[in-house]
Amino acid sequence: MRAGEADLILCNGKVITVDGRFRIAEAVAICADRFVAVGGDAEVRELAGPATRVVDLGGRAVVPGLIDGHAHVDREGLKLVFPSLGKVRSIADIQERIAALVRGARPGEWIVTMPIGDPPTYFNVPEILRERRFPTRHDLDRVAPRNPVYIRSIWGFWRHTTPLVSIANTRALELAGITRETASPLPSVEIEKDASGEPTGVFIENTLMPVVELTLMRCAPGFSHADRVRTLPDALRAYHAFGTTSVFEEHGASAEVLRAYKEVRRRGGLTMRTALVVSPDWTFLDGVALERVVTGWFGWLSEPSLGDAFLRITGIYANIDVEEENRVRSRALPYTGWAGFHYDTSLSRERMRELLAACARNGIRVTTTRRNMLALYEEANRVAPIRDLRWVLGHVSTLTPGEVSRVRDLGLMVTTHTNRYIYKEGHLLQQRLGAEREDEISPLRALSEAGVRVSLATDNVPVSMFYPVWQSVARTSLYTGRAVAPGQRLSREDALRGATVNGAWLTFEEREKGSIEPGKLADLAVLNADPLTVDEDALKDIASDMTVVGGKVVWEGSRAP
């Protein structure tokens, strides 16, 4: 390789740089892990040498690598751990699938499957079944009399509706010790009984996060460390297929997730730039001075972050007013199931004041997904300024104009959950707030105009960042087809900023990534449609033809590199 020679050149395209002037170029050159030239075809091609790979884009659009502000990447891989029941449409179909799994299992071995229904949302169950009911333990016993069988419930956020339903056969109930006398762990959980008072094997949960698999059915196999390590690279590829090159896990990562990421990084398989936030279990610290905990144990979390360009730890997740359901779920620790974060990360309001003040004094960033933490953030700011620490307010559903101003004054970063609060539940928020307050729903334009940096996010439902881009631009309700707070629409340019350079600010890396400029890390995606000109409704369907991280192709078409 000659000096000044590029490793990779993309030319004859529309390179959407998302730089300060939102310039459009024709070509880009990469050497090692950095962009070295961005501009016209002729000038960039001058960097080509015998060993340079030159890709003719044929007019396709290129964007900076997308940055997901709240990704839960690992969950996508976990969907591969347990076998799918497939596209079942009757209880007989389910029995046929279970019977096939039994034939491949040892006597007495657990048969654990994914939920009934069609992924990724699992809508309309059990209505999609001919019998319009869930199978019972007796239905499962007919094909698995000696093997314990457990059909898992969904992770409720896949569709944002309840109930969640899981089913166990008789052998599984016996191993779990569940009888007619077994009490439900929570009022939201029903152990269904037949006319004689015996459990039917059906568990009904009126909550979005499963409880049964963490309590009553805890004896059934869950996700092991080996499962998490094995499937994480698959999850990364699923995100790369839509152009995502960096993620921020603001909701916090449990110890088991941190271990998995560390091992995948050590093995050289971490192709996603990942920033994790610590998700502590505070319940054992009653009576302990939190200032001493922060200075004595968590001082390493102060900015700048600990780690490298592919795996870094930045800050602490915290909240208040945790529901009793989460306290019950947390009894399964260190196991967290689908969540990947600790369920009970709360403190009393008074103790939270103590913690946040200590974090502010020690330069430690705090993230939360609770709007009711805003006043506590302000109290911490009065102890020590937090503006330069870029504390995060995530999962924003509604904010009043006054709250937008408070967010601005604190210098907070904001992440969104447009899939829930615009697309799936926006119509409910419209009904609750009324027309006069509609602009409080996911007020992206108001935040942007106030100078607040908003990072878009998928929350893994689905994995493509082009869904929140589309939701921010169109603001269409899934259920009514009408716009939700149309005055809060973002332009396509601002939506792309929310999916790129604003995300880089979340990890203090705006000088390193988020736009296509010489000297920055060579993260980009070649798209199958132009996000600036494609029909509005087609924004959500954009995918990546090629995804590059640090100059290396991590996704190309329908195949991994």
Side-chain angles (χ1 to χ4, degrees):
M1 182 73 66
R2 299 175 311 190
E5 183 179 306
D7 297 310
L8 175 64
I9 289 177
L10 307 179
C11 58
N12 187 28
K14 181 178 180 179
V15 180
I16 304 168
T17 65
V18 197
D19 66 5
R21 291 187 287 170
F22 212 88
R23 288 179 292 186
I24 306 297
E26 292 178 314
V28 58
I30 295 168
C31 185
D33 66 344
R34 301 277 170 170
F35 296 120
V36 292
V38 182
D41 266 0
E43 61 182 296
V44 172
R45 281 179 178 274
E46 290 180 0
L47 296 176
T52 302
R53 179 184 178 186
V54 179
V55 176
D56 188 329
L57 296 169
R60 287 176 295 176
V62 176
V63 294
L66 304 182
I67 301 172
D68 192 333
H70 189 126
H72 293 300
V73 169
D74 57 300
R75 289 183 195 157
E76 197 63 20
L78 296 180
K79 294 175 182 178
L80 305 174
V81 172
F82 296 109
S84 169
L85 290 172
K87 195 172 183 178
V88 294
R89 289 297 180 264
S90 68
I91 290 174
D93 289 345
I94 296 170
Q95 290 172 318
E96 182 179 341
R97 177 63 174 139
I98 296 295
L101 293 172
V102 169
R103 288 193 294 272
R106 299 184 301 275
E109 183 179 356
W110 274 93
I111 306 294
V112 181
T113 75
M114 289 290 282
I116 298 168
D118 300 335
T121 54
Y122 298 88
F123 275 124
N124 301 320
V125 180
E127 289 77 15
I128 62 170
L129 300 180
R130 184 179 303 119
E131 298 83 355
R132 293 184 175 271
R133 69 170 176 86
F134 287 98
T136 66
R137 64 186 174 101
H138 303 297
D139 295 315
L140 301 180
D141 289 347
R142 290 188 183 97
V143 292
R146 290 177 293 277
N147 289 79
V149 175
Y150 184 52
I151 299 175
R152 298 167 62 98
S153 73
I154 68 165
W155 175 251
F157 296 103
W158 293 340
R159 67 176 186 228
H160 287 101
T161 60
T162 58
L164 315 185
V165 175
S166 58
I167 306 115
N169 74 344
T170 298
R171 183 63 183 132
L173 293 176
E174 290 171 350
L175 291 174
I178 297 172
T179 68
R180 62 189 300 144
E181 280 78 37
T182 300
S184 169
L186 287 166
S188 59
V189 175
E190 177 189 351
I191 305 172
E192 187 181 79
K193 306 284 181 66
D194 61 21
S196 65
E198 292 294 329
T200 67
V202 177
F203 303 97
I204 301 170
E205 307 182 53
N206 289 295
T207 180
L208 289 173
M209 292 187 288
V211 174
V212 170
E213 66 183 54
L214 298 171
T215 55
L216 296 171
M217 293 302 301
R218 184 69 181 91
C219 62
F223 304 123
S224 68
H225 174 66
D227 291 333
R228 293 183 183 276
V229 171
R230 173 175 53 84
T231 62
L232 185 54
D234 295 304
L236 304 180
R237 284 190 287 273
Y239 279 73
H240 289 326
F242 295 95
T244 299
T245 59
S246 295
V247 295
F248 179 60
E249 300 292 8
E250 71 179 359
H251 205 149
S254 63
E256 59 184 348
V257 172
L258 284 167
R259 284 182 61 217
Y261 268 102
K262 286 168 64 178
E263 185 162 335
V264 173
R265 176 68 175 127
R266 186 167 59 249
R267 294 180 179 184
L270 189 57
T271 56
M272 185 78 71
R273 302 191 192 279
T274 304
L276 302 177
V277 173
V278 174
S279 174
D281 173 17
W282 301 108
T283 55
F284 69 97
L285 289 176
D286 287 346
V288 177
L290 292 175
E291 177 77 32
R292 293 194 64 183
V293 173
V294 170
T295 56
W297 290 95
F298 288 136
W300 60 275
L301 288 172
S302 62
E303 290 300 329
S305 306
L306 182 69
D308 58 31
F310 277 91
L311 182 59
R312 58 179 58 205
I313 312 297
T314 170
I316 293 174
Y317 176 81
N319 62 25
I320 54 174
D321 302 334
V322 164
E323 304 86 352
E324 180 60 22
E325 288 178 354
N326 274 339
R327 299 193 191 282
V328 171
R329 292 183 186 102
S330 70
R331 295 172 191 165
L333 283 176
Y335 183 70
T336 63
W338 285 109
F341 53 76
H342 288 163
Y343 294 98
D344 185 2
T345 51
S346 72
L347 293 163
S348 68
R349 186 171 289 270
E350 188 58 41
R351 293 279 279 168
M352 185 59 70
R353 287 191 185 95
E354 184 184 351
L355 173 66
L356 297 185
C359 288
R361 280 192 290 263
N362 288 276
I364 297 173
R365 172 227 284 278
V366 177
T367 72
T368 190
T369 54
R370 299 288 181 122
R371 177 185 174 193
N372 60 3
M373 288 278 287
L374 185 56
L376 290 168
Y377 274 19
E378 290 173 320
E379 292 184 39
N381 186 61
R382 287 192 283 272
V383 172
I386 66 172
R387 167 172 285 278
D388 292 339
L389 297 178
R390 302 182 190 179
W391 286 20
V392 179
L393 180 63
H395 265 204
V396 168
S397 57
T398 63
L399 288 174
T400 67
E403 287 170 330
V404 170
S405 297
R406 292 161 67 191
V407 167
R408 174 203 61 208
D409 293 345
L410 288 170
L412 302 184
M413 295 287 304
V414 168
T415 68
T416 63
H417 193 350
T418 56
N419 185 279
R420 181 174 186 178
Y421 298 120
I422 295 176
Y423 187 50
K424 293 180 180 176
E425 296 183 7
H427 67 296
L428 301 177
L429 292 170
Q430 284 177 311
Q431 294 169 17
R432 192 183 84 198
L433 296 176
E436 68 279 1
R437 295 182 58 194
E438 185 175 357
D439 275 352
E440 295 175 18
I441 302 170
S442 195
L444 305 184
R445 179 173 290 277
L447 287 163
S448 179
E449 291 177 348
V452 177
R453 291 189 180 272
V454 177
S455 173
L456 300 185
T458 66
D459 204 28
N460 184 241
V461 283
V463 302
S464 171
M465 280 292 287
F466 285 103
Y467 262 82
V469 167
W470 168 69
Q471 289 153 357
S472 301
V473 171
R475 299 189 66 100
T476 302
S477 165
L478 169 64
Y479 295 99
T480 69
R482 297 193 297 271
V484 175
Q488 293 302 315
R489 286 185 172 116
L490 291 182
S491 68
R492 297 189 188 208
E493 290 82 358
D494 281 342
L496 283 176
R497 289 186 180 97
T500 55
V501 68
N502 286 2
W505 278 76
L506 280 171
T507 49
F508 299 84
E509 293 177 284
E510 64 273 15
R511 294 184 180 179
E512 287 286 288
K513 64 185 185 182
S515 60
I516 298 176
E517 301 179 75
K520 284 195 171 184
L521 290 166
D523 301 348
L524 60 78
V526 179
L527 305 180
N528 63 2
D530 183 347
L532 298 180
T533 61
V534 72
D535 289 346
E536 185 173 271
D537 196 51
L539 270 171
K540 66 182 184 304
D541 302 318
I542 294 176
S544 177
D545 287 338
M546 176 191 287
T547 303
V548 176
V549 178
K552 295 181 179 179
V553 177
V554 296
W555 173 264
E556 191 162 8
S558 60
R559 60 184 176 84

